[in-house]
Each structure stands twice: as structure tokens, then as C-alpha cells.
Amino acid sequence: MNDALLMALYAFLGAAATGLVGAGVLRLIRRRSLTASLAVIAAVAVFAMLAGTLAVAQAMFLSGHDLRVVTTVVAMAAVVSLATAILLGRWVVARSRELQLAARSFGEGGDFTAPDGPAIAELASLSQELAATSARLAESRERERALESSRRELVAWISHDLRTPLAGLRAMSEALEDGVAADPDRYLRQMRTEVERLNDMVGDLFELSRIHAGTLALAPCRISLYDLVGDALAGADPLARELGVRLVGDRVEPVPVEVDGREMSRVLGNLLVNAIRRTPADGTVAVAAERSADGVVLSVSDGCGGIPEEDLTRVFDTGWRGTHARTPPAGAGLGLAIVRGIVEAHQGHATVRNIPGGCRFEVTLPAARG
């Protein structure tokens, strides 16, 4: 074996032995400070070089003076390397502690603010991820607060709306039981009306619970919007006649869609009933359906006079009924929330905007394939 290969072998063996010892030390102190780990890494690098150099020096039979010179130079390099590693480690640890303190704001319900000053790439990337997570958590907290407020309003309104028909049913049943009802048939008809109203409210609550739980089962089939709108107009016509509202559906294209006919009929029914009840007598409710760049747009326009701009974003919230709608015929504010839930289950979206004299609810659905 020539001298060059022999010196390389000695250097490798000396450095490898030092590296194995350093790996063992790192494993023992893996739960300690980052400063200690950096110091060990620097020491391993320097002592590996020292061990390799000494092994080669012994193999070359250097003089004692030359060996001391080499050892002194390498030792000074080791001291400088260890001091540098400790200083860098303390700086990195200080930055990580600042990041740790800033991250505590998550647990206290606050927002994350990255520490000032430069940081290594990994800590800077971690700060960016924490900031993004903080923004998402803030949005989640805001949505949770809005949902909780909506739930409280819903419970209050449902309790009020249930109490009214139940009180009427109790009074009418007591009158029938005591034989003091002047017109028992009229009482029975009124009781049936109140029972149907209660049944509708319970049905809306059940539908909304399925939507929120993600258990709304759809059975989509290919159907023409012309037929869907025609059936909905026929179902809403008696209420429109009773309230003196005209229904118009002459801008409906026979556009095919793949939807659950029963659920979409409920969407149209809820939109039409909502529009009819908020349109004054001699007003008009218009239904239109046409193709668009996003798919198919189904719209219901009414003559309610418009919705305040600050309320437009809350129209589809659970329990929202507006300031002028807190009367028993307005329901519990579930109809439009059900509309949004069903439409989103069909991969569509529902919106509302003001138009001259009223507002327009628009439902956008994906166009049928083929």
C-alpha cells in the first residue's frame, strides 16, 4: 500500500472513531439545549480533524516538536470553533425562545405576531407558518362566534314561535273540553292549521340538522329547470293569490340540470314563499332560469323594497329573519339557511342582491354534463 493511501486510511479511522463518539454524545444530550448540540457538533468536527492529523503524524514519525506544533494549531482551532458554536447556539436559542413566547398567544386566544429581527431560514419559515395558522384560527373563532350567536337567536326564536301555537292549541282544546266553544268545527280547523305549522317547523329543524351534520342524502337525476320551476309556481300559486301577489315565470329556459328534484323543489318553494310574504299586495314575484358562464342561474325577484346593506351577508344565516319579520307567519328563519345548505350540497352557491324596488335571490348550479 503506498504512503498516500495509508495516510488517508489513518485519517479516516481517527475521524470515524471521533464521529462515533460524537454521535453517542449527541444521543445522550438530545433532550438538552440546542447550544449544547451545536457545541458537540463543532467539537466532533474539530476533534475528528485532530484525531486524523495525529494518526497521520504518528504514522509519519514526526518529531516531538513538529507534533506539538500541529497539536497546538488544531487545539486553537478547536477552541475558536467551540466558542463560535456556543455563541451561535445562544443566538439561535434566544430566537427560538422569542418564537416560543410569541406562539403562546394561541393558547390565550390572541393573534400570533412574529418576533422582530433576523432569524435563520428554518425559524423564519416556522414564523410564517405560525402566522398563517393564527389567521386561520382567527377566522375559525370568528365563524364559531357567529354560529354560536346564530344558535342562541335560533333557540330564542324557536321557543317563541313554538310557544304561540302551543298556547293556542291548549286554549282551544280546553274550550272544546269544557263545551264552551261556539263553533267547534272552526276550532278544529284552526287546531289542524296550528298542528301543520308546528309540523313544518319540526321538518325544517330536521332538514337543517341533516345539512349541518353532512348527512343530507341526494338522489340526483337529469331534470329540466322548466319543469322544476313550473311545479314550484303551481305549488306557490294559492299563497300568492291569497296575498294578492302576481307570479311571473316567463323567462325560464328549458335548461337541463342534474339535481335532486325533491330537494331543489324545496329550495324553490322556500324562495318563492319568502318572496311572496315580503312582497306587498299587487306586487310581482318573478322567476327566471338561464345559462351562464358558471353553469345555470335560477333567480327569484321580489318587491320587498330591498334589504339593508349590512344585512345582506346575514340573509342565509340560521335564524336570521330581519327586523320586520318577527311575526309568526315569517317562520323561525330556517328557510333561507336550508336553501343555502341544499344548494351547496349540489356544489352550487346561493347569493342575494338588491334591485330597484326589491331584491333578487340567485342560485347557481353546475350545468348538466353532456
Side-chain angles (χ1 to χ4, degrees), residues 190 237 325 358:
Q190 184 63 29
D237 186 64

Side-chain angles (χ1 to χ4, degrees), residues 352-369:
V352 61
R353 58 188 174 90
N354 286 324
I355 59 175
C359 58
R360 175 176 296 162
F361 288 85
E362 294 183 348
V363 170
T364 303
L365 298 170
R369 298 178 182 176

Side-chain angles (χ1 to χ4, degrees), residues 228-229 232 264-273 287 298 300:
L228 196 65
V229 172
M264 285 308 301
S265 294
R266 182 162 195 160
V267 167
L268 269 174
N270 285 359
L271 290 177
L272 284 171
V273 169
V287 183
L298 178 64
V300 176

Side-chain angles (χ1 to χ4, degrees), residues 166-209:
L166 287 174
L169 286 172
R170 179 178 180 180
M172 287 184 286
S173 63
E174 289 177 351
L176 290 172
E177 184 180 4
D178 296 338
V180 297
D183 188 353
D185 292 337
R186 184 174 66 84
Y187 274 50
L188 291 173
R189 288 192 300 270
Q190 184 63 29
M191 291 175 68
R192 179 179 178 85
T193 300
E194 296 295 341
V195 169
E196 289 177 352
R197 181 179 156 206
L198 289 172
N199 183 69
D200 291 340
M201 292 176 62
V202 173
D204 285 346
L205 285 171
F206 179 69
E207 184 80 356
L208 195 63
S209 67

Side-chain angles (χ1 to χ4, degrees), residues 185-338:
D185 292 337
R186 184 174 66 84
Y187 274 50
L188 291 173
R189 288 192 300 270
Q190 184 63 29
M191 291 175 68
R192 179 179 178 85
T193 300
E194 296 295 341
V195 169
E196 289 177 352
R197 181 179 156 206
L198 289 172
N199 183 69
D200 291 340
M201 292 176 62
V202 173
D204 285 346
L205 285 171
F206 179 69
E207 184 80 356
L208 195 63
S209 67
R210 290 198 302 164
I211 291 172
H212 287 171
T215 58
L216 181 64
L218 299 178
C221 62
R222 194 180 185 88
I223 187 172
S224 172
L225 276 183
Y226 187 84
D227 297 333
L228 196 65
V229 172
D231 293 342
L233 288 174
D237 186 64
L239 178 62
R241 289 179 180 274
E242 179 184 348
L243 299 179
V245 176
R246 292 186 299 273
L247 290 179
V248 177
D250 53 3
R251 292 180 51 217
V252 179
E253 298 180 11
V255 183
V257 289
E258 291 184 3
V259 297
D260 187 309
R262 179 174 175 272
E263 296 298 338
M264 285 308 301
S265 294
R266 182 162 195 160
V267 167
L268 269 174
N270 285 359
L271 290 177
L272 284 171
V273 169
N274 179 74
I276 292 170
R277 285 177 172 167
R278 284 162 176 75
T279 298
D282 295 330
T284 300
V285 171
V287 183
E290 54 191 356
R291 296 181 186 272
S292 72
D294 298 328
V296 178
V297 177
L298 178 64
S299 65
V300 176
S301 303
D302 59 36
C304 67
I307 300 173
E309 292 295 328
E310 62 272 15
D311 287 340
L312 283 176
T313 57
R314 299 189 57 208
V315 167
F316 293 99
D317 290 350
T318 302
W320 185 88
R321 297 189 293 183
T323 56
H324 67 286
R326 299 188 182 186
T327 56
L334 305 181
L336 294 179
I338 291 173

